[in-house]
């Protein structure tokens, strides 16, 4: 019996000596934090008595012995037993393990495991470990742009605000583009110390987006979980509204030398292909008489050319690029002006300063209100060329946006450039974003269509509602028109409101809801509405 007891004691003693000695001494692992960005430097501190042949190893949580991410022999650590290593590049839950010897197989690992410490790799980083790696919430504040809209090829500055993984990427996409349809990208680790990326804006107009991914988005699965921030911006042919054309004089003899100067263009616009072209009045794109790239002109951007030899009315047009290269002609036409050759009569020009009796077909009754509207900045050149013609949907949108900004004091923001297929006019896109107008169906806006009186009443009401959200639009004293049955249900609120305030008036008791509105009448309505909301 004594022999058996002695044998048992000896066996137990042998087993104890097989256990890692540091386990009894309280081997511990300390990390400088619990959550790391992919690739972030992490500091692992070991304490206790550690065998020289021991190893410290990083594993994905629940990984098998041979599935380690990286390791280091304890004998190679410094005198403080500190290991400085890059965190794994993949998000997930991880574990630091200390083994008394290198774990060649499961049997050794089971007996040699001395200590463990869990940590997480996440795109968001942080100081407290989440239960599972977190998917970053997408925000726009993490990306700063030096401006919201650029001309094609204009230098842009993208600044990242916050902490991002070294393996992350900042990328530029056309809005709604798929993962592999990026325009440009840069690894975050290649940015400067201020996390600033400087590059040229895309060379096509449209709506774009800067995206930050926590890693390069190889596929849709990665992209869905790695998208950290987005920021929208626009590329347009012009963002300043300042380009213009100056002629040495308005009329020329046949083949007389004339000077044409392009004004208000940035160096980027010039280098991107801005071009001056001479056309017969209303000439089609391929009917030009002459053209010259602005970058080939002198330092004043002046083109010296002979006037056409045939008498008539001509136009000089300033395009952002040669017309056949333009994605959208309406926004690519930056400016135009008219001149005559051989004594032809010059067509109406936009009013400058104030309108005079009879100028451009203006009616005497409209002159005071039009001049006041010009002074208040409520008109555009388009609507002062011919006061007697019907105003178009596009032109009234431009007036409505000016009215909104004048009443509210806010700058209107535009909807995406691809909202409509038949226009990219930023003023129309602003009116659409403000819910002043809708399209006409199938992606169209129909900018050149005339606008009816009841449509104007509705657009005006939406404009003032956008500027004054708490507006009371009840109109108990609205006049009863003899043709009220012809007013569409959707237009009644606007008609009644503005008629009750005598901003829109009828004639002989009739409202005439489907009649078109002239430019001068539209200007007068906008001015009266402005006065109603700004009167002290």
């Amino acid at each position: 019996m004594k022999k058996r007891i002695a044998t048992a004691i000896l066996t137990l003693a042998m087993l104890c000596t097989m256990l890692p000695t540091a386990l009894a001494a309280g081997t511990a692992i300390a990390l400088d934090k619990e959550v790391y960005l992919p690739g972030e430097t992490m500091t692992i501190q070991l304490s206790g008595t550690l065998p020289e042949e021991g190893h410290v190893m990083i594993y994905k949580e629940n990984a098998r012995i041979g599935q380690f991410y990286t390791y280091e022999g304890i004998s190679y650590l410094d005198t403080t037993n500190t290991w400085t290593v890059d965190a794994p590049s993949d998000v997930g839950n991880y574990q630091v393990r200390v083994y008394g010897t290198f774990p060649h197989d499961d049997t050794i690992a089971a007996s040699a495991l001395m200590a463990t410490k869990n940590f997480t790799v996440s795109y968001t980083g942080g100081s407290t470990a989440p239960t599972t790696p977190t998917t970053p919430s997408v925000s726009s504040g993490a990306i700063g742009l030096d401006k919201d809209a650029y001309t094609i090829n204009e230098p842009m500055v993208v600044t990242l605000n916050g902490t991002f993984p070294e393996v992350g990427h900042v990328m530029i996409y056309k809005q709604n583009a798929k993962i592999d349809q990026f325009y440009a990208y840069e690894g975050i680790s290649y940015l400067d110390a201020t996390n600033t990326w400087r590059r040229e804006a895309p060379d096509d107009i449209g709506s774009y987006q800067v995206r930050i991914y926590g890693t390069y988005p190889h596929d849709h699965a990665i992209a869905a979980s790695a998208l950290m921030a987005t920021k929208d911006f626009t590329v347009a042919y012009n963002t300043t509204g300042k380009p213009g054309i100056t002629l040495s004089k308005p009329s020329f003899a046949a083949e007389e030398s004339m000077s044409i100067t392009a004004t208000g263009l940035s160096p980027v616009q010039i280098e991107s292909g801005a071009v001056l072209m001479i056309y017969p009045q209303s000439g089609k794109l391929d009917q030009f008489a002459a053209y010259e790239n602005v970058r080939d002109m002198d330092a004043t951007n002046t083109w010296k050319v002979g006037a056409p030899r045939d008498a008539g009315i001509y136009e000089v047009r300033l395009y952002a690029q040669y017309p056949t290269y333009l994605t959208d002609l309406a926004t690519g036409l930056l400016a135009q002006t008219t001149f005559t050759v051989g004594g032809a009569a010059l067509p109406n020009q936009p009013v400058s300063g104030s309108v005079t009796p009879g100028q451009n077909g203006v009616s005497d009754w409209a002159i005071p209100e039009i001049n006041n509207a010009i002074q208040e900045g409520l008109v555009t050149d388009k609507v002062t060329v011919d006061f007697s013609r019907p105003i178009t949907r596009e032109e009234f949108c431009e007036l409505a946006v000016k009215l909104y900004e004048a009443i509210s004091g806010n700058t209107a923001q535009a909807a995406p450039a691809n909202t409509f297929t038949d226009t990219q006019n930023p003023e129309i896109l602003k009116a659409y974003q403000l819910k002043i107008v809708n399209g006409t169906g199938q992606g169209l806006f129909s900018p050149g269509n005339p606008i009816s009186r009841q449509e104007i009443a509705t657009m005006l009401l939406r404009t003032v509602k956008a500027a004054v959200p708490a507006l009371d639009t009840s109109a108990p004293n609205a006049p009863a028109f003899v043709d009220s049955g012809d007013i569409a249900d959707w237009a009644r609120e606007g008609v009644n409101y503005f008629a009750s305030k005598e901003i829109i008036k009828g004639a002989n008791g009739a409202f005439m809801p489907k009649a078109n509105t002239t430019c001068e009448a539209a200007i007068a309505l906008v001015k009266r509405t402005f006065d109603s909301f700004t009167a002290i």
Side-chain angles (χ1 to χ4, degrees):
M1 173 64 82
K2 290 182 178 179
K3 184 177 181 180
R4 290 180 179 177
I5 293 174
T7 302
I9 292 173
L10 179 61
T11 302
L12 180 59
M14 292 175 64
L15 288 173
C16 287
T17 60
M18 293 174 61
L19 294 174
T21 57
L23 185 59
T27 303
I29 304 169
L31 302 178
D32 57 324
K33 55 195 293 189
E34 297 182 27
V35 184
Y36 298 90
L37 295 166
E40 182 179 3
T41 299
M42 58 188 298
T43 302
I44 303 171
Q45 177 82 49
L46 307 185
S47 60
T49 304
L50 304 166
E52 285 293 307
E53 68 273 18
H55 282 71
V56 56
M57 311 182 74
I58 295 178
Y59 285 84
K60 199 80 176 273
E61 195 173 51
N62 301 318
R64 296 177 182 271
I65 299 306
Q67 297 172 336
F68 54 85
Y69 168 74
T70 187
Y71 70 92
E72 184 60 276
I74 290 174
S75 61
Y76 290 100
L77 302 182
D78 63 19
T79 56
T80 64
N81 285 330
T82 298
W83 184 28
T84 301
V85 65
D86 289 342
S89 57
D90 294 329
V91 296
N93 291 323
Y94 288 83
Q95 190 175 65
V96 180
R97 304 177 192 173
V98 176
Y99 288 101
T101 185
F102 191 85
H104 299 285
D105 55 47
D106 292 334
T107 303
I108 291 176
S111 62
L113 182 61
M114 304 178 69
T116 65
K117 180 72 173 179
N118 292 338
F119 68 95
T120 299
V121 175
S122 168
Y123 291 123
T124 57
S127 58
T128 303
T131 304
T132 57
T134 56
T135 299
S137 58
V138 179
S139 70
S140 60
I143 302 172
L145 299 177
D146 56 322
K147 54 199 299 188
D148 294 326
Y150 301 88
T151 54
I152 54 177
N153 298 320
E154 182 178 2
M156 60 187 297
V157 180
V158 183
T159 304
L160 311 189
N161 306 311
T163 304
F164 301 96
E166 286 291 304
V167 294
H169 281 70
V170 54
M171 311 182 74
I172 295 177
Y173 286 84
K174 201 83 176 270
Q175 200 168 55
N176 301 319
K178 295 180 179 179
I179 298 306
D180 58 349
Q181 296 173 335
F182 55 84
Y183 168 77
Y185 73 93
E186 185 59 274
I188 290 175
S189 62
Y190 291 100
L191 302 183
D192 64 19
T194 63
N195 277 342
T196 298
W197 184 28
R198 301 176 186 275
R199 62 157 302 103
E200 289 184 354
D203 53 9
D204 290 325
I205 63 171
S207 298
Y208 288 82
Q209 190 174 64
V210 180
R211 304 177 191 172
I212 299 176
Y213 288 101
T215 185
Y216 187 85
H218 302 283
D219 54 46
H220 291 279
I222 291 176
S225 63
L227 182 61
M228 304 186 71
T230 65
K231 180 73 171 180
D232 294 338
F233 69 95
T234 301
V235 176
Y237 291 123
N238 177 47
T239 61
T240 65
K242 296 179 180 179
I245 301 170
T246 300
L247 299 179
S248 52
K249 58 182 184 178
S251 299
F252 300 88
E255 300 183 325
E256 179 185 355
S257 178
M258 57 187 297
S259 295
I260 306 172
T261 302
T263 61
L265 291 175
S266 69
V268 174
Q269 288 176 301
I270 294 171
E271 289 303 315
S272 295
V275 60
L276 282 170
M277 308 186 75
I278 297 175
Y279 283 85
Q281 189 178 38
S282 302
K284 296 181 179 179
L285 284 183
D286 60 349
Q287 295 175 333
F288 57 87
Y291 77 91
E292 187 67 67
N293 288 313
V294 178
R295 62 171 173 256
D296 296 328
M297 298 175 189
D298 64 20
T300 64
N301 298 329
T302 297
W303 179 27
K304 297 186 181 296
V305 62
R309 67 174 60 182
D310 295 329
I313 301 172
Y314 291 84
E315 297 172 351
V316 181
R317 303 176 191 172
L318 174 60
Y319 286 105
Q321 293 178 321
Y322 191 81
T324 55
Y325 299 154
L326 294 174
T327 303
D328 180 80
L329 282 172
T331 59
L333 179 60
L334 304 181
Q336 66 184 90
T337 191
T338 308
F339 67 94
T340 63
V341 173
L346 194 66
N348 292 351
Q349 298 297 304
V351 172
S352 176
S354 61
V355 63
T356 57
Q359 184 179 6
N360 294 355
V362 68
S363 300
D364 290 343
W365 66 264
I367 292 175
E369 288 181 303
I370 290 174
N371 284 336
N372 287 336
I374 292 173
Q375 293 174 5
E376 297 291 350
L378 298 174
V379 303
T380 65
D381 286 347
K382 294 179 186 177
V383 295
T384 65
V385 172
D386 185 349
F387 291 105
S388 63
R389 67 170 175 80
I391 195 168
T392 65
R393 284 169 53 82
E394 177 178 42
E395 291 163 344
F396 195 77
C397 275
E398 294 172 342
L399 298 188
V401 170
K402 285 184 174 293
L403 177 63
Y404 163 82
E405 293 181 338
I407 294 174
S408 69
N410 299 323
T411 299
Q413 301 301 311
N418 59 357
T419 300
F420 299 109
T421 59
D422 57 349
T423 182
Q424 288 184 325
N425 184 328
E427 303 308 302
I428 291 176
L429 297 176
K430 290 175 185 178
Y432 179 80
Q433 186 75 6
L434 290 167
K435 299 183 179 179
I436 295 173
V437 291
N438 299 309
T440 55
Q442 298 181 334
L444 300 175
F445 181 76
S446 306
N449 285 3
I451 185 170
S452 67
R453 284 168 53 82
Q454 65 180 357
E455 287 174 327
I456 280 185
T458 301
M459 287 176 63
L460 280 175
L461 186 67
R462 292 172 181 168
T463 301
V464 296
K465 279 185 174 181
V468 187
L471 178 68
D472 179 8
T473 60
S474 59
N477 300 319
F481 294 107
V482 295
D483 56 353
S484 60
D486 295 333
I487 300 172
D489 290 341
W490 50 262
R492 288 188 182 280
E493 183 183 11
V495 171
N496 289 339
Y497 178 78
F498 287 106
S500 69
K501 293 186 173 296
E502 297 187 349
I503 291 174
I504 296 179
K505 303 174 183 178
N508 300 319
F511 182 74
M512 300 171 287
K514 298 180 181 179
N516 295 141
T517 299
T518 62
C519 288
E520 63 183 7
I523 295 171
L525 294 177
V526 168
K527 179 60 172 62
R528 293 170 196 167
T529 304
F530 173 79
D531 289 342
S532 176
F533 282 87
T534 57
I536 299 176

